[in-house]
Amino acid sequence: MAEMRTATTKSDEFIQSFEIVGGGKSGDLISKRLELGGLKVGLLATGYFEFFRMYPGLGDKCKENMDHIAEILAPHCDLIYPGFIQTLDESNDAGVMFRKACVDVVIIAEATYTTDYLVHQALLHVPESTPILLFASQERNTLNYDEGYADACRNSGPMGVTQVGCGLNKMKRFMPYEVVVGCIDDPEVQEDILRWVKVRKTIRDLHFWNIGLIGHILRGMYDFQYDKTDINGKLGPHIMDIDIKHLRKIFDGIDPKDPRVVAMVEEAKAEFEIIDGLTDADLYQAARLGVAMSDLIETYKLDGLALLGQHFIEPEFKTTSYLGLANILKNDQAICVTEGDILGLIICKVMKDMSGGITPFFGEWEEIDKDLNAVCLLGHGFVDPRSTRKDRKVKLGMACEEWGWEGKAPGLEATFGPGAVTLCHIISHAGQWKMWVTEGNIPDTKPLEVAESTCIVQVDEPVRDFYRNAIKNGFAHHAIACPAHIGKELRMFADQLGIEVIDL
């Protein structure tokens, strides 16, 4: 007779879910943060041995050029460079080195025209899902009319790379690949290559990104509804739902006078202009929630946090999340958004990476100013104070919208300094992905007195047409603004993932 289960299993004898243990060791949660390191870049640099026997000294010059490419790349990635390749044995060894190193991407450069077998022998060892960049490199930017055929050989690499591209297309392997053309010392060429490395690192890292969602999308916001599987398949991040009871348990375990709570309050008093009669009691309640959110991020090893404040977080904890979110952002602990905008959260991460670490502004489309030819973006009560205008102190006043808190819950009021800005967001319409990218300018204006953070963006197109196009293309009502011009990086990101780019 089969054994009958007669009692509840002792919990300490078996692996359990994070839902039960509330963090730490469990069967369905990474117990430590992953250290991914830099992007592993395999550099395959070749030259044609036949030319080197014809022109003594040519091989040394070509090797010097290829080694120089390696020197340019090395500070920006984990470079795997097997040296200058001239033989099939060396190519095979390079491929083995790439395989053992588990390279994330491969860059192919040729110092002279090279027959295809040198390239393809190395690629036999690399998974065909590996992104490839073909660098049609040459030693100089202009023709040399006097040095003869040996010099022509030294700059014939683009011919060989063209041949590689044709072969890959005919074989339908390593598609699609990226291409950069030009002189190895041209700053624009180097910028193009390093931009690709930066974009590919973000794409790699996104696949290890954990997003925690507390709550849900605000009822009626159909534009933010999403498919977890579609997001994981296209962009990479994993989304985990976290019950509010887990945040509640952490919050209840934090003493109101916890040193971290006290420190957050004192720091806010020193950094911000406190207005609207906010009391210490108001600040301490908000800081206590802030510490709880910070602890939750560490408990569940989150890289991003999305939450619903309105009639969800705020009635439960009798305060707003904004002071805590600002603190999390400025400490680079995680990237955070509200209203359950998961795609907005991902774009914030991408824009921060592309800008070199500037936290973007998470806002929503508001009104237009026809005289300025600008659109106003309205915030959500929080902002990274490091990104805001330096000649105006960030104000910490009473939050604009009251969804169930008590006293005077805090919200941040700030603006952004004049200069470059890029707007972006991404959307999936029944599995059809598209992204809009707009580079604009932040004008020098006085602050809007709306007790909320704002960002005014001037655009090149007539602003009425700009706003109309956003609506016509079906983008969501949020806009992510980063005070930097990073349109090239964002377009390359979209291109690498096969996402249509819309220029509004």
Side-chain angles (χ1 to χ4, degrees), residues 241-345:
D241 295 302
I242 300 176
D243 197 290
I244 196 171
K245 68 184 180 185
H246 296 302
L247 180 60
R248 178 85 241 183
K249 182 178 180 180
I250 294 173
F251 178 88
D252 289 343
I254 297 172
D255 189 286
K257 296 299 183 179
D258 184 298
R260 297 171 297 167
V261 175
V262 175
M264 192 182 301
V265 171
E266 293 305 313
E267 193 173 302
K269 287 180 177 181
E271 183 176 6
F272 307 135
E273 179 184 347
I274 310 297
I275 61 173
D276 294 338
L278 286 176
T279 66
D280 278 2
D282 299 326
L283 296 178
Y284 270 91
Q285 184 73 355
R288 187 179 174 196
L289 176 58
V291 170
M293 292 189 298
S294 178
D295 284 354
L296 181 134
I297 288 169
E298 291 305 312
T299 297
Y300 297 111
K301 308 301 181 288
L302 301 178
D303 304 290
L305 175 66
L307 53 84
L308 177 64
Q310 299 102 317
H311 60 68
F312 191 76
I313 292 287
E314 294 178 17
E316 177 70 22
F317 297 97
K318 307 303 180 186
T319 187
T320 56
S321 60
Y322 305 142
L323 179 60
L325 294 179
N327 200 64
I328 291 167
L329 290 176
K330 76 175 183 179
N331 290 322
D332 292 316
Q333 185 186 15
I335 296 176
C336 309
V337 301
T338 55
E339 296 188 342
D341 186 0
I342 294 294
L343 290 177
L345 177 66

Side-chain angles (χ1 to χ4, degrees), residues 180-218:
V180 174
V181 178
C183 170
I184 58 178
D185 277 323
D186 187 329
E188 291 184 2
V189 171
Q190 295 178 11
E191 184 179 293
D192 287 343
I193 295 173
L194 296 178
R195 179 183 299 114
W196 183 78
V197 170
K198 179 166 61 175
V199 166
R200 290 308 321 186
K201 182 180 185 301
T202 292
I203 291 172
R204 182 205 64 179
D205 292 354
L206 278 172
H207 284 81
F208 297 90
W209 226 55
N210 288 316
I211 296 173
L213 174 64
I214 304 176
H216 49 82
I217 294 166
L218 185 65

Side-chain angles (χ1 to χ4, degrees), residues 46 65-66 69 108-112 134-140 153-159 161 180-185 189 193:
T46 68
N65 286 346
M66 296 298 99
I69 295 173
I108 298 171
E110 298 187 2
T112 67
L134 303 182
F135 180 19
S137 65
Q138 56 193 58
E139 188 181 48
R140 55 172 185 263
C153 286
R154 191 162 82 243
N155 288 283
S156 63
M159 182 204 315
V161 171
V180 174
V181 178
C183 170
I184 58 178
D185 277 323
V189 171
I193 295 173

Side-chain angles (χ1 to χ4, degrees), residues 15-71:
I15 299 171
Q16 297 188 81
S17 169
F18 79 92
E19 295 279 3
I20 303 300
V21 301
K25 293 286 186 179
S26 65
D28 49 4
L29 184 71
I30 295 279
S31 61
K32 61 181 179 181
R33 291 192 178 276
L34 301 176
E35 298 296 334
L36 298 176
L39 192 75
K40 292 183 179 180
V41 177
L43 174 60
L44 184 67
T46 68
Y48 196 25
F49 62 88
E50 295 283 11
F51 291 143
F52 305 148
R53 68 173 178 81
M54 300 177 193
Y55 298 98
L58 177 59
D60 292 337
K61 292 179 181 179
C62 289
K63 179 182 183 301
E64 182 180 328
N65 286 346
M66 296 298 99
D67 290 349
H68 184 48
I69 295 173
E71 292 170 358

Side-chain angles (χ1 to χ4, degrees), residues 437-453:
V437 179
T438 298
E439 288 187 339
N441 180 67
I442 300 175
D444 187 2
T445 63
K446 66 180 184 179
L448 282 167
E449 295 185 5
V450 293
E452 179 58 272
S453 295

